[in-house]
Amino acid sequence: ETGVTQSPTHLIKTRGQQVTLRCSSQSGHNTVSWYQQALGQGPQFIFQYYREEENGRGNFPPRFSGLQFPNYSSELNVNALELDDSALYLCASSSRTGKSEAFFGQGTRLTVV
Amino acid sequence: AQTVTQSQPEMSVQEAETVTLSCTYDTSENNYYLFWYKQPPSRQMILVIRQEAYKQQNATENRFSVNFQKAAKSFSLKISDSQLGDTAMYFCAFMKRPGAGSYQLTFGKGTKLSVIP
């Protein structure tokens, strides 16, 4: 167990809807990253939050947005869902001191129908 | 931009034997970190081993060790005395050494390892 928890574990949404995924970071970690992992692929970086501000973004459209709260937990919001958004969404937390390692949650499996 | 390539989509190994997973990467950075992550069917990505590019000594963690060849941009993972619990997807990942910037990981497509009893 890494101490990073994500909710929900599974989710089914309809094309065009909006979805919010949640992540609680490991104690002491102030940086949260989100990744999208399509079936059979490696995770792709969506964005990262540090001290409640976006601090790096991958090649994802603006309908992917996020928040980080003062307790360092985070949300990933996706608007206007498309079928291709079906994937495993992983949250990772890191500390900016020490070994720069990322600890992952168990992911949220999103299915868009 | 960095790229990570894992050329072995699937591998298998007999229990108690040794297996090596390959990874190559491309970057113009001089300082960076490399990682191997394991993803079992439970989906949670688990850190196996970490290598800092400025360290010449290869990292080891119990049964896991790496062969890091910086000039060749190669980073292979050796698993000794393979166990059934090692069955999982293995991902090689790259991270630029962060200054004030992002702690972004770039992953390969993964190698599916099956340990056979």
Side-chain angles (χ1 to χ4, degrees):
Chain A
E1 294 293 325
T2 63
V4 180
T5 58
Q6 293 185 242
S7 62
T9 55
H10 296 85
L11 200 54
I12 300 175
K13 288 288 192 177
T14 302
R15 188 172 50 183
Q17 284 188 316
Q18 179 266 344
V19 69
T20 297
L21 310 182
R22 295 177 174 85
C23 172
S24 294
S25 60
Q26 184 164 312
S27 177
H29 286 185
N30 54 17
T31 300
V32 175
S33 305
W34 287 92
Y35 293 82
Q36 180 195 67
Q37 186 178 16
L39 197 62
Q41 301 294 316
Q44 297 289 315
F45 176 73
I46 303 174
F47 47 55
Q48 182 175 93
Y49 278 83
Y50 172 59
R51 291 184 176 177
E52 303 177 53
E53 292 191 359
E54 188 178 291
N55 178 235
R57 188 177 184 95
N59 189 25
F60 281 81
R63 60 189 185 84
F64 285 78
S65 63
L67 284 173
Q68 187 180 31
F69 300 99
N71 66 355
Y72 304 132
S73 65
S74 177
E75 288 182 353
L76 164 65
N77 299 293
V78 187
N79 294 322
L81 283 167
E82 300 176 0
L83 297 179
D84 285 349
D85 295 333
S86 295
L88 179 67
Y89 288 84
L90 295 167
C91 167
S93 76
S94 314
S95 169
R96 297 210 166 207
T97 57
K99 296 185 176 180
S100 303
E101 294 169 6
F103 294 88
F104 285 82
Q106 81 282 13
T108 294
R109 171 74 67 191
L110 173 64
T111 303
V112 182
V113 297
Chain B
Q2 286 66 233
T3 59
V4 177
T5 302
Q6 294 179 248
S7 58
Q8 305 151 315
E10 293 192 39
M11 293 192 72
S12 62
V13 62
Q14 291 290 137
E15 194 176 4
E17 296 296 308
T18 296
V19 64
T20 298
L21 309 183
S22 300
C23 172
T24 58
Y25 59 95
D26 189 24
T27 184
S28 58
E29 302 287 331
N30 190 47
N31 290 326
Y32 48 88
Y33 299 142
L34 294 164
F35 304 86
W36 279 97
Y37 279 90
K38 166 186 176 181
Q39 188 177 41
S42 66
R43 307 181 324 201
Q44 187 157 30
M45 202 75 79
I46 300 165
L47 178 64
V48 175
I49 199 164
R50 170 184 182 273
Q51 176 80 40
E52 297 170 29
Y54 68 90
K55 289 187 177 179
Q56 293 186 343
Q57 186 174 7
N58 289 324
T60 62
E61 286 287 343
N62 301 314
R63 298 183 295 108
F64 300 89
S65 61
V66 298
N67 184 4
F68 172 50
Q69 302 289 329
K70 189 173 183 179
K73 295 180 182 175
S74 171
F75 182 61
S76 61
L77 174 70
K78 185 171 82 171
I79 306 174
S80 304
D81 186 25
S82 296
Q83 300 176 359
L84 297 178
D86 295 334
T87 293
M89 286 291 294
Y90 285 81
F91 292 95
C92 178
F94 172 100
M95 184 173 73
K96 288 192 293 186
R97 184 159 184 180
S102 167
Y103 283 52
Q104 172 183 343
L105 286 163
T106 301
F107 286 88
K109 290 188 174 183
T111 296
K112 183 178 181 180
L113 177 67
S114 299
V115 180
I116 302 166

